[in-house]
Amino acid sequence: MIYNKTVEIIDKARLEDLQSKRLKRLVAYVKNNSPYYQKQLAHIQADDINSMKDISKLPFTTKEDLRNNYPYGIFSMPHEKISEIHMSSGTAGNPTLVGYSRKDLMLWAEVMSRSLACAGVHSSDMIQVAFGYGSFTGGFGVHYGALKLGATVLPMSSGQTRRQITLMQSLKPRILACTPSYALYMAEEAASMGLKPSDISWEIGIFGAEPWSEGMRTEIEKRLGVKAVDIYGLSEIIGPGVSMECDEKNGMHIWSDVFYPEVINPDTGEVLPDKEKGELVITTLTKQAIPLLRYRTRDIVSMTNEKCACGRTMPRISKISGRSDDMLVVRGINIFPSQIEHVLLNAAGAAPHYQIIVNRNSIYQDSIDILVEIEEQMFSDQMKEMEQLEAKIVKEMTAVLNITPKLKLVSPKTLPRSEGKAVRVIDNRKI
């Protein structure tokens, strides 16, 4: 189902004209309202931006820019006019703060409505939202979009898995929205409760917030009996609803009338041609509270502007195939090695030598193991002191990462050294 025919099947010339007008307004708006962009765009004059071809004159924006201008320096609206604030995890420093005006929330609901309809959701459906709520944007984005679409929302958040399954049996929602790893965990629990795929009411599963492969899609569809579709978004841009797969499952439609996409060479910043793999860059053409120019997502994708068999003319991006930075996504949570290093540098007895190992186990639930070297003096201490240090580090890391890692203290000089860039992360997941 096409939710908004005015833009979802728009021809290329009209789309580019709309994007150009919105870009020109956006540049003037942030120059007048954002302390950060006033400095960054001091050299840009009103007549410099007239079409989308002029976007190359604009600087890139990074996650570090958001953190360095915490809390409100990059905003284009005073906090008194902000209706809602979310945040995403970052390094050991400031979180990434994201604000929404009332119109931004309406925009979020609009793009999520398009996304849900793109996945096959109807106004008569019930959708079980098992993404997390709170400061995480996942649950709220799906919630707002479902309400605008006219669907019934079952706002479960994540966790309480057996209760989720029991309510599914009673209320029979047709749609499930959560991370793909949690979907497979629920499939495992449902099987342990004696349920077969034919007992599951969900027909469509909307999965995102973490990388997942085609093999994982096949496994989810087999175990739950659903059609599994991919959704993409990130808090800095708006949250979920930036792009979504349709029935063709041949790329995610990115709503480029409001999120203008580019794919660049992550090393040179050069814009790459269609279908070539690179880093996704997004400009938010219509946001009010915290619009961003050429935001470097660090996600590696390819993109095509070919018309989709579903009829939509919006560009499509591939599944995320990697990152251009050192960030890990584990169970929908962003983790940076620098966060772990920050904890270790403040833990007496621990050395700043560590290794992060990420695995995906038999039920596709990601796990994170951290090997940490200890100092010579601590290594010779009694077992009790070692256990106390381990407990302290795990507690601190859980607070910083929002996920509990499995920690193993190892003897000095155990972990490999490198003359170049240290190999801190071993990601064994097949994504």
Side-chain angles (χ1 to χ4, degrees):
M1 181 180 74
I2 295 177
Y3 178 78
N4 188 335
K5 293 183 179 180
T6 304
V7 290
E8 291 183 56
I9 58 174
I10 192 172
D11 67 72
K12 187 175 181 180
R14 287 181 56 213
L15 175 60
E16 188 170 330
D17 182 61
L18 177 63
Q19 292 167 332
S20 297
K21 290 176 180 176
R22 287 179 170 179
L23 180 65
K24 188 174 181 68
R25 286 198 299 265
L26 172 66
V27 172
Y29 176 73
V30 295
K31 277 198 72 172
N32 288 331
N33 294 284
S34 168
Y36 172 75
Y37 282 123
Q38 285 171 358
K39 297 175 185 176
Q40 295 296 309
L41 302 178
H43 64 291
I44 298 291
Q45 305 303 315
D47 292 336
D48 290 340
I49 307 297
N50 295 296
S51 74
M52 292 315 300
K53 294 178 182 178
D54 296 323
I55 198 169
S56 61
K57 300 176 183 178
L58 302 175
F60 292 112
T61 307
T62 67
K63 196 178 187 81
E64 289 71 30
D65 294 326
L66 272 70
R67 286 200 300 266
N68 293 339
N69 289 276
Y70 176 88
Y72 301 119
I74 207 164
F75 278 46
S76 293
M77 181 175 281
H79 67 84
E80 295 87 354
K81 294 185 177 181
I82 300 297
S83 295
E84 193 164 303
I85 290 178
H86 289 269
M87 65 189 73
S88 66
S89 55
T91 62
N94 297 320
T96 303
L97 204 66
V98 184
Y100 299 79
S101 68
R102 190 169 296 278
K103 285 188 176 180
D104 289 337
L105 292 175
M106 293 170 64
L107 173 67
W108 197 7
E110 159 69 20
V111 295
M112 267 307 311
S113 293
R114 293 186 202 176
S115 298
L116 293 173
C118 189
V121 183
H122 298 280
S123 59
S124 58
D125 285 326
M126 178 186 293
I127 179 166
Q128 185 166 339
V129 183
F131 281 117
Y133 281 72
S135 62
F136 178 59
T137 55
F140 279 98
V142 179
H143 191 119
Y144 293 153
L147 290 179
K148 182 172 176 58
L149 186 64
T152 302
V153 182
L154 184 58
M156 295 298 298
S157 194
S158 54
Q160 295 187 300
T161 306
R162 293 214 161 206
R163 180 173 172 80
Q164 299 247 20
I165 295 166
T166 299
L167 284 172
M168 176 273 295
Q169 290 178 279
S170 301
L171 303 179
K172 302 194 181 308
R174 197 173 75 94
I175 317 297
L176 171 66
C178 63
T179 63
S181 57
Y182 188 53
L184 278 169
Y185 179 69
M186 285 204 280
E188 190 86 0
E189 283 294 296
S192 72
M193 295 167 66
L195 300 181
K196 303 184 295 296
S198 58
D199 299 320
I200 304 296
S201 71
W202 304 314
E203 296 177 18
I204 298 173
I206 297 169
F207 305 123
E210 64 187 14
W212 57 303
S213 64
E214 286 300 324
M216 193 170 182
R217 189 205 301 268
T218 300
E219 192 71 15
I220 290 172
E221 292 185 335
K222 181 178 73 174
R223 294 194 184 196
L224 287 178
V226 301
K227 177 186 76 174
V229 292
D230 202 352
I231 186 170
Y232 174 75
L234 58 166
S235 298
E236 299 93 316
I237 298 303
I238 203 164
V242 174
S243 63
M244 169 65 97
E245 278 185 324
C246 64
D247 283 340
E248 299 298 319
K249 299 182 186 177
N250 189 25
M252 293 178 281
H253 292 277
I254 185 164
W255 311 121
S256 62
D257 59 313
V258 291
F259 308 120
Y260 182 76
E262 302 171 88
V263 176
I264 66 166
N265 180 316
D267 297 321
T268 66
E270 172 195 7
V271 178
L272 299 175
D274 261 22
K275 300 182 182 179
E276 195 164 325
K277 190 176 289 188
E279 180 184 335
L280 179 64
V281 171
I282 297 176
T283 297
T284 59
L285 295 174
T286 60
K287 283 181 67 180
Q288 288 186 328
I290 183 170
L292 298 177
L293 300 175
R294 306 192 81 194
Y295 182 74
R296 296 189 60 164
T297 69
R298 304 295 181 180
D299 290 320
I300 302 299
V301 303
S302 61
M303 182 169 70
T304 179
N305 281 280
E306 293 178 353
K307 183 179 178 180
C308 182
C310 74
R312 292 176 178 85
T313 55
M314 294 276 106
R316 283 168 287 149
I317 59 171
S318 65
K319 276 183 171 289
I320 311 304
S321 63
R323 296 277 302 178
S324 65
D325 61 8
D326 60 354
M327 189 185 84
L328 287 165
V329 181
V330 180
R331 297 182 220 162
I333 297 173
N334 298 342
I335 296 174
F336 290 86
S338 53
Q339 293 173 297
I340 292 168
E341 191 168 296
H342 175 77
V343 172
L344 296 180
L345 290 172
N346 288 280
H353 301 294
Y354 61 93
Q355 196 164 65
I356 305 164
I357 302 173
V358 184
N359 290 298
R360 183 159 281 166
N361 63 25
S362 60
I363 56 169
Y364 290 81
Q365 189 84 330
D366 294 350
S367 64
I368 177 168
D369 296 345
I370 303 176
L371 308 181
V372 177
E373 283 188 16
I374 54 176
E375 295 175 351
E376 292 279 1
Q377 180 182 352
M378 176 59 68
F379 186 63
S380 61
D381 284 348
Q382 295 182 6
M383 183 63 69
K384 183 177 180 181
E385 282 74 16
M386 295 267 287
E387 291 174 349
Q388 289 174 342
L389 175 62
E390 182 175 312
K392 179 182 178 181
I393 294 174
V394 169
K395 182 178 179 181
E396 290 296 322
M397 285 190 181
T398 301
V400 170
L401 304 177
N402 292 317
I403 190 172
T404 302
K406 183 179 179 182
L407 188 76
K408 182 180 180 181
L409 301 180
V410 298
S411 57
K413 300 179 181 178
T414 298
L415 299 178
R417 303 295 195 264
S418 173
E419 292 181 0
K421 185 176 180 181
V423 180
R424 300 293 195 193
V425 178
I426 299 175
D427 193 340
N428 294 321
R429 296 173 294 181
K430 302 297 182 184
I431 297 170

